[in-house]
Amino acid sequence: MSARTKARKLALDILFAAELREELPTDVLHARGRPNQDELSAYGHAVRLIEGVQEHRERIDELLSSYATGWTLDRMPAVDRNILRMGAFELLWVDDVPDGVAVSEAVALATELSTEESPRFVNGLLSRLQRLKPSLAL
């Protein structure tokens, strides 16, 4: 598993826990303490994802709400919501991650960690954002 894949899993764990606890993701990250040896190589990108989602969450949630056909953020499973937030951040604000990689990594997380329908939903919504990216005001 690549360091960035590990980073995405770590970031998702923190984002998910923060939402459940109703805390800031960076507070949950700092309360967690130092990364263990397994997480060390992934830690920098994970922090970047966590801080980026936190910083842009209002706009990310606005975009997800606008383009999620037939779904509100509240109706989405919490894991899907956070996978989508992280994928949208990578897709729209992280220039050194190719768009296709951001989408496929989010789909892979949904496949591994969520419902049977989630990968298709995550792929559809992030692909829509990818197509609209040039016209979105960020």
Side-chain angles (χ1 to χ4, degrees), residues 7-129:
R8 289 178 185 96
K9 282 187 164 196
L10 175 58
L12 179 61
D13 287 347
I14 298 296
L15 293 169
F16 183 81
E19 183 174 335
L20 290 180
R21 296 178 190 168
E22 298 180 354
E23 296 178 18
L24 290 174
T26 51
D27 291 345
V28 172
L29 176 66
H30 296 302
R32 195 170 185 273
R34 298 177 57 108
N36 64 40
Q37 194 64 33
D38 235 18
E39 299 169 339
L40 211 48
S41 66
Y43 196 71
H45 191 63
V47 170
R48 179 183 188 192
L49 293 172
I50 293 161
E51 290 175 345
V53 168
Q54 182 174 307
E55 178 183 347
H56 297 284
R57 181 166 165 186
E58 187 175 318
R59 182 64 176 140
I60 291 169
D61 284 358
E62 186 179 291
L63 290 168
L64 295 176
S65 294
S66 295
Y67 295 106
T69 308
W71 285 84
T72 63
L73 277 176
D74 292 339
R75 266 191 68 214
M76 294 176 197
V79 69
D80 292 2
R81 192 169 39 245
N82 285 290
I83 289 170
L84 285 164
R85 286 174 176 149
M86 194 170 53
F89 171 71
E90 274 196 300
L91 181 65
L92 301 172
W93 283 278
V94 179
D95 293 332
D96 64 332
V97 173
D99 292 351
V101 171
V103 173
S104 66
E105 287 285 329
V107 170
L109 281 171
T111 300
E112 182 180 344
L113 301 171
S114 197
T115 69
E116 193 174 300
E117 297 82 22
S118 294
R120 192 168 11 131
F121 178 70
V122 167
N123 184 58
L125 183 47
L126 291 179
S127 293
R128 179 178 284 165
L129 291 179

